[in-house]
Amino acid sequence: MREEAPRTVTAICRALQEQIDHGLLPQGGKLPAERKLSELFETTRITLREALGQLESEGLIYREERRGWFVSPRRLDYNPLGRSHYHAMVREQGRVPSTELISARSMPAPADICARLGLPALSSVLQIRRVRRIDGRLVLYVEHYLNPAYFPGILDNDLTTSLTEMYERQYDIHYGRVAFDILPTALPAEAAFNLKAAAGSPGLCITRVNRDQRGRIIDCDVEYWRHDAVRVRVEVPD
Amino acid sequence: MREEAPRTVTAICRALQEQIDHGLLPQGGKLPAERKLSELFETTRITLREALGQLESEGLIYREERRGWFVSPRRLDYNPLGRSHYHAMVREQGRVPSTELISARSMPAPADICARLGLPALSSVLQIRRVRRIDGRLVLYVEHYLNPAYFPGILDNDLTTSLTEMYERQYDIHYGRVAFDILPTALPAEAAFNLKAAAGSPGLCITRVNRDQRGRIIDCDVEYWRHDAVRVRVEVPD
DNA sequence: TAGTGGTCTAGACCACTGA
DNA sequence: CAGTGGTCTAGACCACTAA
């Protein structure tokens, strides 16, 4: 398709990719400064950034806003139909999870959330916003919307722990049937900001609607993942 | 996060987005030439292309290699667990599907395909490569890998039609359980080339492993979608 | 405070598309 | 063959991060 020449985007990509593949740049490691790299490859920063952008969209590297470029760690396998919660899932894959709370409150339900939860117009919902990390890296920004009828007083809990477990222990509510959407798109401003990602970084939006053991819609999660951090694997249980 | 100023990437994005939202640029329509747009916004092509890149990663516009930028039509809803085949699915959503054959042959199975089909090393598989369109737009490049034991002589058929229907009519094989992976990544060279996309354009790779009514793994599809062309919607049937 | 990433300017040449 | 997109050069200034 295109012949190789030095000092081109393609050549820079190949060189960096080779370094990464051979582990010379460790997972999670920071790349040298853009100016250093552009000197190294005898090119301009514009051209270099073009190459970095390609590698980013391939999911080999990622950037943190104003902090630089890093080698992407391996992806997390995620089955949205699975019963296990975030911390358990991440630990099962030999990684270290963590969660931070951004906000939690009762609010008027946005129209799309109303529809997904099957609530009448102008209903109130509980909104919980959090970010999650894997091995310290910010990978996921989530907005949870709960039907308040089923979870009185839930906002008084420690909301950095698993909601799933809280549902079971305090409300005797278990996850049943799940439906979800997956939308490849750029991270919207809120998500990008909380993930310390550049505005418009590639992301994956996963919207889950969860029912309980009795088939009632109990909550809806709107998840924004960094696109290089996850691989969705769906196996329908027998 | 950032204040507005004219002639900036953000301002250009907003202006174009507004035009698109209000339907002044019709779905599938071509944007003016980059030089024209950069004059219009009183900026450089570099800056303009930065803005176009943002809109591309949001899925609002897309480009065809060396042909220009176009407004993205609405996404196709795709349930990989669904039973209906491509043409039926697209028509159900009021769109016009088409399929083109790229190649069809027997070949030694690549290692990953071997593993997914549960075949011993160095097995042969049937490979069928196709592209698919919606309303004339190239959106999907697929590689099908069939277990040759179940489909003798299938390569002699018209391979621009539905494999699913062929399986049923000629081999009495129906789809049963399905498993699939979803990987957000750039389109690899082969996929990009066949979709007339720029190398490294954002894409969505969906790998499906299909079983028949008796639970045997019959084939595996490796699909590369243009990332703005699809929304995955999964509902587990009761 | 030094260095870095984010952004922008003002051009240029080439290869390919489409008329 | 004209116009377009793809690519590259050689700078510049600013806001922010990290020491």
Side-chain angles (χ1 to χ4, degrees):
Chain A
M1 260 126 275
R2 182 182 320 291
E3 78 274 7
E4 289 307 320
R7 260 170 275 174
T8 79
V9 169
T10 319
I12 298 170
C13 281
R14 285 196 315 139
L16 286 172
Q17 180 154 10
E18 204 184 6
Q19 300 278 309
I20 293 171
D21 288 347
H22 288 57
L24 300 177
L25 296 163
Q27 290 193 356
K30 188 174 184 312
L31 267 56
E34 293 180 0
R35 285 173 179 82
K36 290 263 197 294
L37 287 173
S38 59
E39 272 176 46
L40 183 64
F41 290 109
E42 299 178 276
T43 184
T44 21
R45 262 181 84 206
I46 297 273
T47 302
L48 178 84
R49 279 173 68 90
E50 181 77 21
L52 294 174
Q54 290 248 355
L55 295 176
E56 179 188 36
S57 66
E58 285 169 28
L60 267 79
I61 63 176
Y62 68 97
R63 75 181 139 150
E64 284 187 25
E65 180 80 354
R66 291 197 169 276
R67 285 170 36 79
W69 297 87
F70 303 82
V71 178
S72 300
R74 75 169 194 277
R75 293 176 190 256
L76 182 78
D77 285 330
Y78 174 33
N79 182 353
L81 297 181
R83 293 289 184 275
S84 84
H85 61 271
Y86 180 79
H87 285 246
M89 171 176 75
V90 172
R91 275 200 215 95
E92 275 163 23
Q93 297 182 38
R95 320 279 291 268
V96 179
S98 63
T99 299
E100 286 152 50
L101 181 67
I102 298 170
S103 71
R105 55 169 179 152
S106 174
M107 66 180 289
D112 56 325
I113 299 298
C114 248
R116 288 193 189 266
L117 290 180
L119 292 174
L122 301 175
S123 301
S124 272
V125 286
L126 305 178
Q127 182 202 51
I128 300 172
R129 301 190 307 143
R130 312 196 282 189
V131 286
R132 314 254 221 192
R133 298 172 188 262
I134 298 176
D135 299 332
R137 177 190 176 201
L138 286 164
V139 293
L140 171 61
Y141 165 80
V142 209
E143 296 174 355
H144 304 271
Y145 294 93
L146 321 198
N147 184 330
Y150 304 136
F151 304 106
I154 198 170
L155 298 189
D156 300 328
N157 287 272
D158 172 7
L159 295 173
T160 65
T161 66
S162 161
L163 292 182
T164 312
E165 289 189 348
M166 220 175 286
Y167 290 178
E168 296 187 357
R169 272 193 229 141
Q170 295 187 28
Y171 302 92
D172 195 36
I173 284 178
H174 307 259
Y175 277 139
R177 203 140 69 87
V178 174
F180 64 90
D181 290 356
I182 298 182
L183 199 71
T185 183
L187 296 173
E190 265 300 291
F193 176 78
N194 286 292
L195 293 175
K196 298 194 200 300
S201 298
L204 197 66
C205 175
I206 305 183
T207 307
R208 294 173 42 168
V209 176
N210 301 305
R211 292 169 184 270
D212 70 1
Q213 65 272 26
R214 293 160 57 187
R216 304 176 303 184
I217 298 176
I218 51 173
D219 71 1
C220 164
D221 303 334
V222 183
E223 308 178 341
Y224 292 96
W225 293 82
R226 290 199 80 133
H227 89 304
D228 62 328
V230 69
R231 165 172 44 201
V232 174
R233 313 204 81 155
V234 173
E235 306 237 20
V236 182
D238 263 330
Chain B
M1 260 126 281
R2 181 182 321 292
E3 78 274 5
E4 289 307 322
R7 263 167 274 174
T8 84
V9 170
T10 319
I12 298 170
C13 282
R14 285 196 315 138
L16 286 173
Q17 179 153 11
E18 204 184 6
Q19 300 278 309
I20 294 171
D21 288 347
H22 288 57
L24 300 178
L25 298 162
Q27 289 193 355
K30 189 173 183 309
L31 266 55
E34 291 181 0
R35 285 174 179 82
K36 290 263 196 297
L37 287 172
S38 59
E39 272 177 46
L40 183 63
F41 291 108
E42 300 177 275
T43 184
T44 21
R45 261 182 81 205
I46 297 274
T47 301
L48 178 85
R49 280 173 67 90
E50 181 77 21
L52 294 174
Q54 291 247 355
L55 295 176
E56 179 188 37
S57 66
E58 286 169 29
L60 266 78
I61 62 176
Y62 68 97
R63 74 182 139 151
E64 283 187 27
E65 180 80 355
R66 290 196 170 278
R67 285 169 37 79
W69 297 86
F70 303 83
V71 178
S72 300
R74 74 170 194 276
R75 294 176 190 256
L76 183 78
D77 286 329
Y78 174 33
N79 182 353
L81 297 180
R83 294 288 184 274
S84 84
H85 60 273
Y86 181 80
H87 285 247
M89 172 176 74
V90 173
R91 273 200 217 96
E92 275 162 23
Q93 296 182 39
R95 320 279 291 268
V96 179
S98 63
T99 300
E100 287 152 48
L101 181 67
I102 299 169
S103 71
R105 55 170 179 152
S106 175
M107 65 179 288
D112 57 324
I113 299 298
C114 250
R116 298 195 111 109
L117 290 180
L119 292 174
L122 302 176
S123 301
S124 272
V125 286
L126 305 178
Q127 183 202 51
I128 300 172
R129 301 191 306 142
R130 312 196 283 188
V131 288
R132 314 253 221 192
R133 299 172 187 262
I134 299 177
D135 298 333
R137 178 191 174 197
L138 286 165
V139 292
L140 171 60
Y141 164 80
V142 208
E143 296 174 354
H144 304 271
Y145 294 93
L146 320 199
N147 184 329
Y150 304 138
F151 304 106
I154 198 170
L155 298 188
D156 300 329
N157 288 272
D158 172 6
L159 295 174
T160 64
T161 66
S162 160
L163 292 182
T164 311
E165 288 190 347
M166 219 176 286
Y167 290 177
E168 297 187 357
R169 272 192 230 142
Q170 293 187 29
Y171 302 93
D172 196 34
I173 283 179
H174 307 259
Y175 276 137
R177 203 141 68 87
V178 174
F180 63 90
D181 290 357
I182 297 183
L183 200 71
T185 184
L187 296 173
E190 265 301 290
F193 176 78
N194 285 293
L195 292 175
K196 298 192 200 301
S201 299
L204 197 65
C205 175
I206 304 183
T207 307
R208 293 174 43 169
V209 177
N210 301 305
R211 293 170 183 269
D212 70 1
Q213 65 272 28
R214 293 160 57 185
R216 305 176 301 185
I217 298 176
I218 51 172
D219 70 1
C220 165
D221 304 334
V222 183
E223 307 177 340
Y224 292 97
W225 293 82
R226 291 198 78 133
H227 88 304
D228 62 327
V230 70
R231 165 171 44 202
V232 174
R233 314 203 79 158
V234 173
E235 305 237 21
V236 182
D238 264 330

